[in-house]
Amino acid sequence: MNDNLKKWLPWIAVAAVALIVIVIIAVNSGGDDEAAATTTTAGQTTTTAVEETTTTTVAETTTTTEAGGGAPEAGPLGAVTVAPGEDIQIRSVEAISGDVAFLGVPNQRGTELAITDYGPIKGHNVTIGTPLDDLCSAEGGQAAGQTVASDEQVVGVIGTSCSGAATAMSPLISQAGMVMISPSNTSPALTSDLAGTPGENYNPGYYRTAHNDLFQGAAVAEFVFNQLKLTKAAAIHDGDPYTNGLATAFKNAFEKLGGEIVAFTAVNKGDTDMTGVLTEVAQAGPEVIYFPIFMPEGGFIAQQVGAVAGLENVVLIGADGLLTDNFMELKATEGMYFSGPNLDYGNNKSEIGTTAADFLAEYQAAYGEAPSAAFWAHSYDATVLLLSAIEKVSVELDDGSLFIDRQALRDELTSTKNFSGIIGTLSCDQFGDCGAQRISIVLHEDSSDIEKGKSNIVFEYSPGG
Amino acid sequence: MTTTATTPTRTFRFSWTDSFLWAIRVMSIFVIVWGFVGVIALGFEGNGLSLAAWKQLTIAGLAQGSMYGLLALGYSMVYGVLGFINFAHGEVFMVGAIVGFFTANALFDAGVWESNFILSILIVLVVAVATSTFTAVIIEKVAYRPLRNAPRLIPLITSIGVSFFLQNAVQLLVGPAVKSYPAPPSWLSDPINVLGFKVPGTTVLVVVLATISMVGLWLFVERSATGRSMRAVAEDKEIAALMGIDVDRVIVTTFAVGGAMAGVAALLWALLFRGVSFISGFLPGIKAFTAAVLGGIGNIVGAMLGGILLGLFEGLGPNVILRGLAWQIPTALAIVLLIAGAAVVFGGRVVHRNGIVILGASAILMGVVGVLGITIVIPGLSQLKDVVAFTALVLVLIFKPAGLFGEQLGQEDRA
């Protein structure tokens, strides 16, 4: 054992040194602005001499602003100045790895395509840099948020994919004075309860084009109680804030209508055998099961429910997380209902003229496949919304640089009214809910015709028109 | 201070660790007995699960468990021979399942899946087994062989790296979406009657195939010449080499056989659950490793039975133990338990038998709970199946640290 260790020691040492060298190189090359940020803080705490010698981006920013002459005063949140020839920096933070990658990858691609379609803003290209990963978790959101917030040149973020990640990221982005627009966060906690009370995780600078879960929960309850005329329901979530929130929203709305939730339970992510949970649900004798979860667990439930005594004729309702081709192609999903954002985009035109059909053709051409989740249009609209807000508030300076005031950008986004998007008309409320808020319930009848299933609307819900 | 080198006298020494362990023992016996009796009592009162439901849970647990068992073999065999945990084994299984999916899909598109299902699953089986075997062998040659003489922790960490590599490689190659095997024909998936159990034919097929593979593997290891060399290498690599056994070859064979079993598991997964993605190997891998430990690592029979047991724990555990906690212990019984418990504790102290004291203490606890009329209704029971399964595992390992069927390790590992 000792001999072995001795033999390996030099190699371990070499590896350690190599690692340190790599880290140093990475910090110096990739993180110019990070380095700048650290030196600035160092300068503030020690001597002013450091500030004079370091040529940080921050320093450049202020000097060019002064030199430019007639440049607007930066607002309370500061401003970004994009030097001539430089790109406008936005970031994409989506769940692009792990088992929710099917959601995050099309979101990120939606952003990329929107940037391409939008073109340069006043002579400056827009870039998302290296796509960041929200890991669909609070930890991932925290890490990505820190990376973004430490980069002073970043104007705004498109993301996150998952509400859990946004919970951690939104305060960081907010403090940095930036904005974030999520294409697919739906948790009410991130915005408001729709009655004027901000959610516990609401922070200024947070916006989203996705709907608020409360709408979806209410829509399903309404549909089950008033249209299907069923009164005993079960709800199954998977412990995720998104699925839990949606199932709870459904439960509350359904009970308010006078229905009875006979079972409210959960599966674990990664479970394959659902007999246990289904047996437990069967015991309560529901007429309908709402399971707003994801693949693969949703697929396992749909496939195994038929074999459980007592659930042979139960009505199954899934949510937008299951409005995916790989779920809907399962024979067992025939006859299922799905709640979700209204995906019948028809000829809705985005502010820059793109329709859903245009987008899908572009997506197919660029990536060789169809989007694997439903929020690509939300992502496209979120990006166009951000870019056009930047275009509106940015000011060209005499030297060709672009001045973007952070507070002005927030004000511009908050005041969004009747903005055309692929998903419909976007209007932001004061807590950042900008989505079209059109919820529809579709009936999926034929597993060989998924597109028909997605557009076969049997119930529509859009409070406030 | 004045007393030097005291003689060991019987003094009462209070230790937090000991009292904690005691409390755990008392609590676990209390919860298990309460739950177990409660679930039976609830059944008689008509508030429990129906018989059909119990049968369903048992069968589902058995099917899931046999898959764990097949995977556990791979962990156990590699541990037995090389003494480290090959965490990439779950991914070996996943790769087989993914490649099997494309085969099955091609067969489905060609119409063979529906016209000749038996032939189709045989083809998928061969492809999945071949892929998994190949992957396992490549991993051994590329990632583990160069580290043969490195400290044990290094290949362990390498295996975690290989595992991430395979996950990401598959995600890049075939995308992140969950892919579903085509459905088996209705004559197979319809429930059939086996010993009074109404079971989907697929489940029966899964259990039968798993059993055949396990028995086959057992015969291979116990009866064939290669199997004998494997056991010899597991016992002592150097002496085996002196006896003229090609150790490298035997190690490759071990990986290959483990991989083949993972391939079989991939087919069973396809029949039973159908959905596969690049992440599908992770959790089953962890569970299978657990099963291997439960059965006694290095022990082939232990791995198989450990897997099946873990599947049953998962399937039945929450319902057997936790559901019963909703049963209120009748007051009369509670009073009897209090008195009897006190007597037993006293008796146990007199005869210095700790086990009896623990039993008595559990009975007193039950009595108290009964008198107070406490019941516990846990919402979302089945969500706790992993908790129950792992608690059961820990309890088993507390009482039998080497696993249910004992570890079988070579000289060096025992040392």
Side-chain angles (χ1 to χ4, degrees), chain A residues 92-279:
Chain A
S92 162
V93 182
E94 308 282 358
I96 49 176
S97 71
D99 52 357
V100 194
F102 73 88
L103 173 66
V105 169
N107 281 358
Q108 184 205 316
R109 290 172 174 175
T111 300
E112 284 168 359
L113 291 177
I115 290 175
T116 314
D117 290 354
Y118 197 93
I121 296 176
K122 297 175 183 168
H124 293 267
N125 287 324
V126 179
T127 176
I128 58 168
T130 310
L132 296 166
D133 196 339
D134 79 3
L135 299 173
C136 203
S137 67
E139 295 79 21
Q142 177 87 17
Q146 278 162 351
T147 309
V148 173
S150 65
D151 187 343
E152 304 240 359
Q153 280 302 102
V154 172
V155 180
V157 179
I158 302 298
T160 59
S161 299
C162 299
S163 294
T167 305
M169 186 163 138
S170 151
L172 297 168
I173 296 298
S174 185
Q175 275 156 27
M178 300 171 182
V179 295
M180 64 186 280
I181 310 181
S182 164
S184 57
N185 294 161
T186 55
S187 162
L190 290 165
T191 54
S192 75
D193 68 350
L194 303 176
T197 316
E200 55 181 315
N201 297 317
Y202 172 72
N203 295 289
Y206 178 87
Y207 302 88
R208 65 177 168 206
T209 52
H211 55 271
N212 187 318
D213 275 340
L214 293 176
F215 279 112
Q216 187 166 180
V220 179
E222 196 87 31
F223 169 69
V224 172
F225 196 79
N226 291 334
Q227 185 152 340
L228 296 179
K229 310 267 183 223
L230 300 176
T231 53
K232 291 165 83 179
I236 304 176
H237 64 87
D238 67 6
D240 182 278
Y242 161 69
T243 64
N244 193 353
L246 187 46
T248 310
F250 166 70
K251 174 174 180 277
N252 294 339
F254 194 64
E255 283 172 346
K256 212 167 158 191
L257 287 171
E260 188 192 353
I261 298 289
V262 292
F264 188 83
T265 183
V267 297
N268 297 307
K269 284 194 182 191
D271 276 358
T272 49
D273 181 16
M274 301 297 174
T275 317
V277 69
L278 291 173
T279 307

Side-chain angles (χ1 to χ4, degrees), chain A residues 4 8 96 98-99 101-102 265-266 268 270-273 275-277 279-280 283 295 300 303-304 307-309 326 330, chain B residues 48-49 53 56-57 60 64 147 149-151 171 176-178 180 269 273-275 278-279 283 323 380-383 385-386:
Chain A
N4 269 337
W8 281 89
I96 49 176
D99 52 357
F102 73 88
T265 183
N268 297 307
D271 276 358
T272 49
D273 181 16
T275 317
V277 69
T279 307
E280 183 193 330
Q283 202 69 17
M295 279 294 266
F300 297 143
Q303 285 166 359
Q304 292 169 26
V308 175
N326 60 351
L330 300 174
Chain B
L49 290 179
Q56 214 154 32
L57 290 173
Q64 173 92 64
L147 303 172
N149 296 315
Q171 186 195 348
V178 177
S180 292
W269 175 285
F273 304 128
R274 293 171 44 203
F278 67 99
I279 209 96
L283 210 59
R323 188 174 285 275
L381 263 188
S382 36
Q383 199 187 6
K385 66 180 194 177
D386 290 348

Side-chain angles (χ1 to χ4, degrees), chain B residues 30-389:
Chain B
F30 157 65
V31 169
I32 290 171
V33 173
W34 182 16
F36 207 75
V37 175
V39 96
I40 294 170
L42 282 177
F44 276 111
E45 289 171 14
N47 292 328
L49 290 179
S50 64
L51 192 61
W54 283 114
K55 286 178 176 172
Q56 214 154 32
L57 290 173
T58 313
I59 293 296
L62 209 59
Q64 173 92 64
S66 53
M67 212 171 308
Y68 291 155
L70 278 176
L71 276 177
L73 289 170
Y75 285 95
S76 215
M77 283 167 54
V78 168
Y79 193 88
V81 171
L82 286 175
F84 76 89
I85 303 298
N86 175 18
F87 275 113
H89 191 62
E91 272 58 46
V92 168
F93 154 79
M94 178 273 292
V95 170
I98 291 275
V99 175
F101 161 77
F102 285 106
T103 317
N105 220 22
L107 289 168
F108 184 77
D109 287 342
V112 187
W113 186 267
E114 272 155 339
S115 63
N116 198 338
F117 179 70
I118 301 285
L119 177 71
S120 303
I121 61 164
L122 280 179
I123 295 175
V124 175
L125 178 67
V126 169
V127 171
V129 167
T131 314
S132 288
T133 310
F134 181 72
T135 313
V137 169
I138 292 290
I139 293 176
E140 197 279 323
K141 296 215 171 188
V142 173
Y144 302 146
R145 184 165 299 184
L147 303 172
R148 189 63 49 78
N149 296 315
R152 197 85 38 85
L153 280 177
I154 291 181
L156 178 88
I157 292 180
T158 307
S159 76
I160 296 175
V162 170
S163 163
F164 282 131
F165 171 79
L166 286 175
Q167 280 183 19
N168 287 304
V170 170
Q171 186 195 348
L172 273 179
L173 287 174
V174 304
V178 177
K179 294 152 187 61
S180 292
Y181 275 72
S186 60
W187 58 263
L188 182 64
S189 52
D190 282 347
I192 51 173
N193 225 322
V194 185
L195 308 168
F197 286 63
K198 266 186 88 175
V199 192
T202 359
T203 314
V204 180
L205 183 66
V206 164
V207 174
V208 169
L209 275 177
T211 315
I212 293 174
S213 325
M214 290 181 190
V215 171
L217 179 79
W218 186 79
L219 287 176
F220 173 76
V221 173
E222 293 294 318
R223 298 288 148 85
S224 75
T226 321
R228 203 172 306 133
S229 358
M230 272 164 74
R231 282 179 288 138
V233 172
E235 189 62 27
D236 192 320
K237 275 201 239 10
E238 276 157 34
I239 295 191
L242 289 176
M243 295 293 145
I245 292 174
D246 184 344
V247 174
D248 275 344
R249 228 184 106 106
V250 169
I251 290 174
V252 168
T253 315
T254 311
F255 273 87
V257 174
M261 289 297 136
V264 176
L267 176 81
L268 304 190
W269 175 285
L271 287 172
L272 210 53
F273 304 128
R274 293 171 44 203
V276 291
S277 75
F278 67 99
I279 209 96
S280 294
F282 177 70
L283 210 59
I286 300 282
K287 297 273 178 69
F289 165 58
T290 314
V293 175
L294 179 64
I297 198 136
N299 183 331
I300 288 180
V301 179
M304 298 174 196
L305 297 179
I308 291 171
L309 212 59
L310 185 67
L312 286 174
F313 277 162
E314 276 189 17
L316 293 171
N319 287 298
V320 170
I321 307 299
L322 298 181
R323 188 174 285 275
L325 303 186
W327 178 61
Q328 190 182 338
I329 302 162
T331 320
L333 178 63
I335 292 167
V336 173
L337 278 171
L338 269 179
I339 298 165
V344 169
V345 169
F346 182 72
R349 296 214 26 107
V350 170
V351 297
H352 292 295
R353 291 291 292 273
N354 290 343
I356 294 176
V357 176
I358 290 175
L359 278 180
S362 312
I364 294 178
L365 202 54
M366 272 185 90
V368 172
V369 166
V371 169
L372 295 177
I374 297 172
T375 58
I376 304 170
V377 178
I378 299 170
L381 263 188
S382 36
Q383 199 187 6
L384 297 173
K385 66 180 194 177
D386 290 348
V387 177
V388 174

